[in-house]
Amino acid sequence: MTTSKNTLSKLLADTKFSHECEELLSCLPKDKGFFAEYLYQYQGFWYPPNILEGVLYSQKHFQAKDSDIILVSSPKSGTTWLKALVFALIHRHEFQNPQESHPLLDNNPHTLVPFIEGFQFHNQDASPSIFSTHIPLVSLPESVKDSSCKVVYCCRNPKDAFVSLWHFVKSLVLEEMVGCTMEEMVSGFCRGSSVYGPFWDHALEYWKESRENPEKVMFVMYEEMREQPKDWVLRIAEFLGCSLTEEEIEKGVLEDIIKLCSLENLSKLKVNEKGKLVNGMETKAFFRKGEIGGWTDTLTPSLAEEIDKTTEQKLIGSDFRFFC
Ligand code: A3P
């Protein structure tokens, strides 16, 4: 077994929880998990206990500032890429020659943009500070809702997000997957019992919020960003109040940001090929194919249909549609 598997296993299983979390866990609904023994349902969404502990902690202690930027996604929906792009955008004036010298060349995007439920609020003095989270809208810390901080939500189609999660889990914890087959994992995903699931409710809530409160929440799709990165980076910059000037565009700043943050570039960097996050996860696990519709090489037609049927049911009454 590799070190990362040992470390992750410890993270997910052996953590000592706070008294508050232990008490809560004892009365929450639970379901069989696929990389922790159980998932627990809290405020309508499912979590392994260690992540729930982080959610509770952030609800209690995270103080968003008006200038903060919070990047939100369901797991495996483009979080790493969005973190890199927004970090590069916000800090573009400090690094004129990003291909030669830039924090993203030596640091994984998850190190530069911490998860608030990962107990890492260490950038809280910077302005703007960029944070990220997978926490659903309903459970965000109150200060995120009450302040004027901006939220960018990245959504991906459920089949690709599921397949990405499957490969991620397999690369990190296969031996601890409590005997879970892909059929069981699809079944859990579709009944909502997946890390931060139900996947659909997560996206739908943020989508609705982005329609009702467009100054606060911007909703982007991974696939649309893949197809037209320039357009979307410009739109994100505008939303965040840091639009690129004509002069910057003429000088190639937009292309530089996109190139720096590309899957091809980031995945080949030493820090992402051989590095580890503070929690022990190997950084290479965050970079795979980044395809649109790549699920076809992993899901059988019947499993794909099971996910499609769930999507259909979840979208009844909504005019929201996933990319494909
Ligand atoms: P695949 O597993 O389909 O390849 P997350 O960052 O939310 O964990 O999502 C991981 C997915 O985003 C993976 O998808 C990964 O390959 C893809 N990804 C990671 N970095 C990327 C980048 N810089 N550009 C585009 N896609 C990226």
Side-chain angles (χ1 to χ4, degrees):
M1 206 186 294
T2 67
T3 314
S4 79
K5 283 175 184 166
N6 271 324
T7 317
L8 190 64
S9 165
K10 276 208 179 71
L11 258 170
L12 294 171
D14 301 347
T15 315
K16 289 244 181 299
F17 302 113
S18 64
H19 180 61
E20 181 198 5
C21 188
E22 290 283 6
E23 269 197 347
L24 188 64
L25 289 173
S26 69
C27 53
L28 289 178
K30 65 179 181 179
D31 195 3
K32 186 175 182 288
F34 46 79
F35 63 104
E37 194 175 4
Y38 290 108
L39 295 180
Y40 294 82
Q41 192 186 36
Y42 174 67
Q43 299 183 333
F45 289 81
W46 292 89
Y47 306 90
N50 65 315
I51 292 182
L52 180 59
E53 169 105 270
V55 173
L56 297 175
Y57 186 82
S58 67
Q59 285 184 332
K60 229 175 170 180
H61 299 288
F62 182 71
Q63 287 305 321
K65 297 193 300 301
D66 289 340
S67 58
D68 285 350
I69 296 168
I70 318 280
L71 309 178
V72 190
S73 57
S74 268
K76 315 322 289 173
S77 299
T79 323
T80 315
W81 188 26
L82 185 65
K83 287 186 182 195
L85 285 171
V86 171
F87 184 91
L89 255 179
I90 295 296
H91 293 284
R92 67 185 187 268
H93 305 298
E94 295 153 51
F95 307 99
Q96 305 287 339
N97 238 332
Q99 312 300 340
E100 282 169 25
S101 160
H102 196 281
L104 278 164
L105 299 176
D106 310 307
N107 298 274
N108 179 269
H110 294 287
T111 307
L112 297 172
V113 181
F115 281 104
I116 59 175
E117 63 271 44
F119 304 92
Q120 294 176 47
F121 311 158
H122 59 248
N123 285 344
Q124 257 186 315
D125 290 339
S127 181
S129 294
I130 315 169
F131 294 100
S132 83
T133 186
H134 293 313
I135 298 177
L137 185 73
V138 65
S139 301
L140 281 178
E142 286 305 314
S143 64
V144 175
K145 300 177 201 173
D146 294 344
S147 69
S148 305
C149 71
K150 299 267 189 185
V151 173
V152 182
Y153 184 86
C154 186
C155 169
R156 192 178 191 188
N157 85 74
K159 292 194 294 272
D160 279 335
F162 173 84
V163 165
S164 185
L165 182 64
W166 168 260
H167 287 290
F168 182 74
V169 170
K170 226 172 74 164
S171 74
L172 290 171
V173 291
L174 184 62
E175 289 155 62
E176 284 87 22
M177 276 177 69
V178 209
C180 183
T181 62
M182 190 184 294
E183 285 73 16
E184 285 171 324
M185 192 162 145
V186 167
S187 168
F189 186 69
C190 288
R191 68 173 183 274
S193 154
S194 177
V195 191
Y196 296 92
F199 179 89
W200 298 266
D201 306 35
H202 199 283
L204 278 167
E205 286 181 4
Y206 278 102
W207 184 77
K208 197 162 166 269
E209 189 65 20
S210 73
R211 292 298 174 271
E212 288 170 3
N213 210 347
E215 301 294 309
K216 171 87 178 174
V217 180
M218 179 182 193
F219 193 95
V220 302
M221 291 212 183
Y222 176 81
E223 296 83 0
E224 289 183 343
M225 290 212 298
R226 285 299 266 159
E227 289 193 340
Q228 294 186 306
K230 284 190 197 171
D231 282 6
W232 282 96
V233 171
L234 287 175
R235 284 189 216 190
I236 292 171
E238 195 185 338
F239 172 75
L240 296 176
C242 62
S243 295
L244 276 86
T245 61
E246 287 297 325
E247 197 191 339
E248 282 183 300
I249 294 173
E250 270 164 34
K251 273 170 64 186
V253 172
L254 182 57
E255 277 89 355
D256 282 351
I257 290 174
I258 289 167
K259 202 167 155 200
L260 173 70
C261 300
S262 70
L263 181 58
E264 296 67 33
N265 187 51
L266 292 185
S267 61
K268 285 192 192 120
L269 298 172
K270 194 170 158 211
V271 67
N272 295 326
E273 269 191 330
K274 307 224 183 290
K276 282 187 185 169
L277 300 181
V278 280
N279 64 14
M281 276 193 196
E282 288 181 351
T283 47
K284 67 178 181 207
F286 291 93
F287 305 92
R288 204 177 59 94
K289 294 181 174 176
E291 288 173 352
I292 302 176
W295 57 267
T296 46
D297 66 15
T298 303
L299 285 179
T300 61
S302 71
L303 290 178
E305 198 186 324
E306 200 175 330
I307 298 179
D308 284 342
K309 277 199 176 135
T310 309
T311 303
E312 216 174 284
Q313 282 164 7
K314 289 282 189 180
L315 296 188
I316 290 173
S318 167
D319 48 0
F320 171 71
R321 293 293 171 265
F322 289 98
F323 186 82
C324 52

